[in-house]
């Protein structure tokens, strides 16, 4: 094998996955078709769950100073906002940060971990057998890597144990693997533009907002405008956007072109929605846009991809290392495909709520429907539920064993704690190494002594001597936290012998047989 895992695509998903694999000691190579990183901002939002993932890996200090936090977000641009600040998280906000910055920070981290990122290298064919995957790669004559200059012929075949397609909506990997991508084609398109100059008068600004135009200042100076122009909403997404078209649309929407000038980026996007039939075919897996595409309502695409990578990384690493319990790698599709379905469903709802208002025959009932949705968003429980869904904080993976504790599958709260023999002051302080974390909340040091001999290389065992109160943890005596921050097992038993047997069973089921 040339490498353990090939990752195709150096976007946020591919880079996050590469970091997770390298953190676990997996030899990883990223192949990116583009010769240079994207310079355009593209996606802007890191939602709360994605921010938590960066915190878990000790990377948040790199991201937070470069972005801007906002306490909520929108659902189909309705007036009542989703209130993220009411959610149970230390990071109950959206972080505005250009995708180009996110990619640069993740590429920096990947390089620190020894990942090879080969740009200008396109995967043109993929074949797999029982032992591995072959990727036919077309690239330049030489590329700088962390190991020095490596010469690739114009076309070369690389072999790895696994290959993950993070190569976008038109994924060549997905096609080569024969994975279906059913869904719906676009029925309308919107437009976005990042402008260095934007100078509207107050009346024009109010008019833009009343017509559902999203106005977002970017961290490096420009202002982003996003809108749907009823007269141009049937233009195909592939049609380029011109400054003249943008100005004409603004005049139609609010009576002024708002002085827009010096565009940094102009783009058209559609509501085509597709979800891969499965995320795994043998030794080939999919993540990010290669697995799901949808209307960019709520900025969920990039975040869903990052969370795909976090779910897959430790499972694939365990499989490569040889200690993965049966079915662990298959659980990636079982857990993340339903999440992809939930995201595509809610973005289709948001897109429909917008599109119908631009169709004359549906405009009146569509506006009434939007008013009803807006009224529902004013209800605390409805707002909290949708906020949890869009932010990613509400993701719960199904329990695989009958009678599992209600906490299983949910994300672990980042409670403050005192850990015996550790400087950690909260749960996420224990997670940068990407291992399982076993917390004995009953304060029994013997449980850690029982974990370390068999699973010490995979599990960080911690005796908690003091902790913050949390309503979900009342009565819980032990918890096993997965490397991606979700709860694998929890018990409320107090008898030492019963806890010992249940703990050993849970560790074997999730962290493999003891060494």
């Amino acid at each position: 094998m040339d490498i353990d895992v090939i990752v195709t695509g150096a976007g946020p998903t591919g880079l996050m996955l590469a970091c997770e694999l390298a953190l676990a000691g997996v030899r990883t190579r990223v192949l990116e078709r583009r010769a240079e990183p994207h310079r355009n901002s593209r996606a802007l939002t890191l939602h709360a769950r994605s921010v938590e993932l960066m915190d878990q890996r000790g990377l948040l200090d790199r991201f937070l100073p470069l972005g801007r936090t906002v306490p909520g977000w929108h659902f189909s641009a309705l007036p009542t906002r989703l209130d993220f600040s009411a959610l149970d998280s230390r990071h109950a906000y959206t972080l505005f940060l250009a995708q180009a910055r996110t990619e640069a920070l993740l590429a920096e981290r990947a390089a620190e971990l020894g990942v090879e990122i080969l740009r200008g290298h396109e995967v043109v064919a993929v074949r797999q057998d029982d032992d591995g995957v072959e990727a036919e790669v077309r690239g330049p004559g030489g590329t700088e890597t962390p190991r020095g200059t490596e010469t690739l012929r114009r076309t070369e075949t690389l072999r790895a144990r696994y290959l993950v397609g993070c190569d976008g909506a038109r994924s060549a990997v997905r096609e080569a693997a024969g994975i279906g991508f059913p869904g719906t084609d676009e029925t309308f398109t919107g437009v976005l533009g990042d402008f260095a100059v934007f100078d509207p008068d107050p009346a024009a600004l109010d008019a833009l907002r009343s017509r559902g135009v999203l106005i977002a200042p970017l961290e490096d100076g420009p202002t982003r405008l996003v809108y749907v122009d009823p007269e141009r909403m049937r233009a195909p997404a592939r049609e380029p956007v011109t400054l003249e078209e943008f100005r004409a649309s603004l005049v139609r929407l609010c009576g002024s072109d708002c002085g827009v000038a010096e565009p940094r980026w102009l783009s058209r996007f559609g509501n085509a929605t597709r979800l891969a039939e499965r995320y795994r075919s043998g030794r080939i897996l999919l993540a990010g846009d290669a697995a799901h595409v949808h209307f960019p309502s709520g900025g969920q695409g990039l975040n869903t991809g990052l969370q795909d990578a976090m779910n897959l990384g430790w499972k694939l690493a365990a499989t490569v290392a040889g200690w993965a319990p049966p079915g662990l790698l298959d659980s990636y599709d079982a857990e993340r495909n339903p999440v992809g379905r939930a995201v595509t469903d809610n973005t289709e709802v948001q897109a429909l709520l917008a599109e119908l208002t631009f169709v004359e025959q549906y405009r009146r009932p569509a506006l009434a429907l939007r008013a009803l949705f807006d009224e529902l968003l004013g209800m605390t429980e409805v707002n909290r539920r949708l906020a949890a869904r869009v932010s990613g904080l509400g993701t719960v993976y199904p329990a695989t064993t009958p009678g599992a504790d209600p906490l299983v599958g949910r994300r672990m709260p980042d409670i403050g704690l005192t850990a015996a023999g550790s400087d950690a002051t909260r749960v996420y302080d224990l997670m940068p190494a990407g291992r399982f974390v076993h917390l004995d909340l009953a304060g029994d040091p013997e449980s850690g002594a029982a974990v370390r001999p068999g699973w010490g290389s995979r599990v960080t065992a911690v005796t908690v001597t003091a902790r913050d109160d949390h309503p979900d943890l009342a009565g819980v005596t032990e918890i096993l936290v997965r490397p991606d921050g979700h709860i694998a097992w929890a018990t409320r038993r107090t008898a030492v012998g019963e806890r010992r047997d249940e703990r050993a069973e849970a560790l074997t089921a999730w962290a493999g047989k003891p060494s």
Side-chain angles (χ1 to χ4, degrees):
M1 298 291 173
D2 297 300
I3 206 77
D4 292 324
V5 177
I6 293 172
V7 176
T8 63
T13 301
L15 292 169
M16 185 76 179
L17 177 61
C19 289
E20 287 296 290
L21 292 169
L23 189 62
V26 176
R27 297 176 305 150
T28 305
R29 179 175 294 173
V30 179
L31 304 177
E32 167 56 48
R33 177 177 59 86
R34 295 176 180 273
E36 298 292 336
H38 273 288
R39 301 302 179 190
N40 299 321
S41 54
R42 291 170 294 147
L44 288 179
T45 53
L46 286 180
H47 283 315
R49 184 55 182 159
S50 298
V51 177
E52 285 188 343
L53 300 185
M54 301 307 173
D55 194 3
Q56 289 171 14
R57 291 299 180 261
L59 301 175
L60 189 57
D61 287 348
R62 306 186 188 202
F63 285 80
L64 204 52
L66 299 179
R68 178 169 61 90
T69 62
V70 294
W73 199 225
H74 70 90
F75 190 85
S76 193
L78 291 168
T80 302
R81 309 285 281 185
L82 298 177
D83 183 11
F84 287 3
S85 67
L87 299 175
D88 178 24
S89 174
R90 293 180 187 270
H91 308 294
Y93 51 78
T94 288
L95 181 65
F96 266 20
L97 186 68
Q99 181 175 334
R101 290 286 186 94
T102 296
E103 289 179 3
L105 292 171
L106 289 174
E108 176 184 77
R109 177 58 174 159
E112 293 170 0
L113 293 169
V115 174
E116 297 175 310
I117 302 174
L118 304 184
R119 300 188 184 275
H121 290 71
E122 181 180 7
V123 174
V124 295
V126 176
R127 298 173 292 274
Q128 65 172 314
D129 53 41
D130 292 341
D131 300 317
V133 183
E134 289 184 346
E136 187 176 325
V137 182
R138 181 179 299 129
T143 300
E144 290 294 323
T145 76
R147 298 179 183 176
T149 300
E150 176 174 290
T151 300
L152 284 179
R153 296 186 301 274
R154 181 60 181 167
T155 300
E156 182 170 341
T157 299
L158 301 178
R159 187 165 175 82
R161 297 179 65 182
Y162 290 89
L163 184 146
V164 185
C166 304
D167 51 342
R170 298 180 178 86
S171 172
V173 172
R174 185 187 62 240
E175 183 175 345
I179 297 175
F181 202 41
T184 57
D185 294 330
E186 68 184 44
T187 60
F188 79 102
T189 56
V191 172
L192 68 80
D194 296 343
F195 295 94
V197 178
F198 173 60
D199 186 26
D201 59 45
L205 199 59
D206 290 341
L208 286 175
R209 289 174 174 150
S210 71
R211 295 299 299 271
V213 178
L214 176 66
I215 304 168
L218 306 184
E219 80 271 5
D220 56 348
T223 300
R224 171 166 295 182
L225 302 179
V226 185
Y227 65 81
V228 175
D229 180 352
E231 292 193 20
R232 293 288 294 153
M233 62 186 288
R234 306 305 181 192
R238 64 180 179 273
E239 182 179 319
V241 182
T242 66
L243 178 58
E244 291 71 22
E245 177 191 351
F246 209 103
R247 285 172 168 164
S249 290
L250 291 181
V251 170
R252 280 193 293 271
L253 291 170
C254 73
S256 166
D257 67 7
C258 301
V260 294
E262 299 181 31
R264 302 281 184 87
W265 186 44
L266 299 172
S267 180
R268 200 183 313 272
F269 56 90
N271 65 328
T273 302
R274 298 188 178 277
L275 179 68
E277 290 178 336
R278 59 193 187 279
Y279 286 14
R280 180 188 180 192
S281 175
R283 292 177 174 271
I284 299 174
L285 301 104
L286 304 176
D289 287 354
H292 40 75
V293 294
H294 50 81
F295 195 64
S297 297
Q300 296 173 82
L302 180 151
N303 293 275
T304 307
L306 290 176
Q307 292 154 38
D308 287 345
M310 196 73 162
N311 184 289
L312 175 59
W314 64 277
K315 296 174 180 178
L316 185 53
T319 303
V320 170
W323 59 260
L328 183 66
L329 190 55
D330 284 331
S331 74
Y332 168 63
D333 176 74
E335 291 184 344
R336 292 305 298 175
N337 197 300
V339 172
R341 172 63 65 192
V343 171
T344 54
D345 283 351
N346 89 61
T347 53
E348 283 189 302
V349 168
Q350 294 186 64
L352 187 62
L353 283 172
E355 180 182 11
L356 291 180
T357 64
F358 302 121
V359 180
E360 187 59 37
Q361 69 199 84
Y362 298 126
R363 180 170 173 77
R364 188 196 61 78
L367 289 173
L369 183 61
R370 287 181 64 84
L372 175 60
F373 262 80
D374 195 59
E375 181 180 342
L376 292 173
L377 284 179
M379 299 178 181
T380 301
E381 183 55 34
V382 173
N383 194 297
R384 183 180 292 117
R385 179 166 297 193
L386 283 176
R389 183 170 296 180
V390 171
S391 69
L393 296 178
T395 298
V396 179
Y397 298 132
T400 56
T401 56
D405 191 273
L407 289 176
V408 170
R410 296 170 59 179
R411 40 180 281 282
M412 177 66 193
D414 186 25
I415 58 170
L417 52 75
T418 301
S422 171
D423 293 331
T425 60
R426 55 193 180 95
V427 173
Y428 289 3
D429 287 341
L430 299 166
M431 302 188 68
R435 294 151 48 106
F436 285 90
V437 174
H438 173 264
L439 300 172
D440 189 309
L441 303 181
D444 179 8
E446 295 303 317
S447 65
V451 171
R452 294 185 190 98
W455 293 276
S457 62
R458 309 166 209 161
V459 182
T460 299
V462 176
T463 300
V464 178
T465 57
R467 65 178 176 87
D468 291 344
D469 289 331
H470 192 287
D472 293 345
L473 302 180
V476 177
T477 51
E478 293 186 40
I479 289 182
L480 181 64
V481 184
R482 300 170 9 166
D484 59 7
H486 285 258
I487 295 171
W489 166 75
T491 186
R492 299 168 197 264
R493 297 183 185 275
T494 56
V496 173
E498 292 177 350
R499 286 167 52 195
R500 179 180 60 243
D501 294 343
E502 193 177 329
R503 178 195 315 126
E505 184 178 346
L507 285 166
T508 302
W510 283 99
K513 294 179 180 179
S515 57

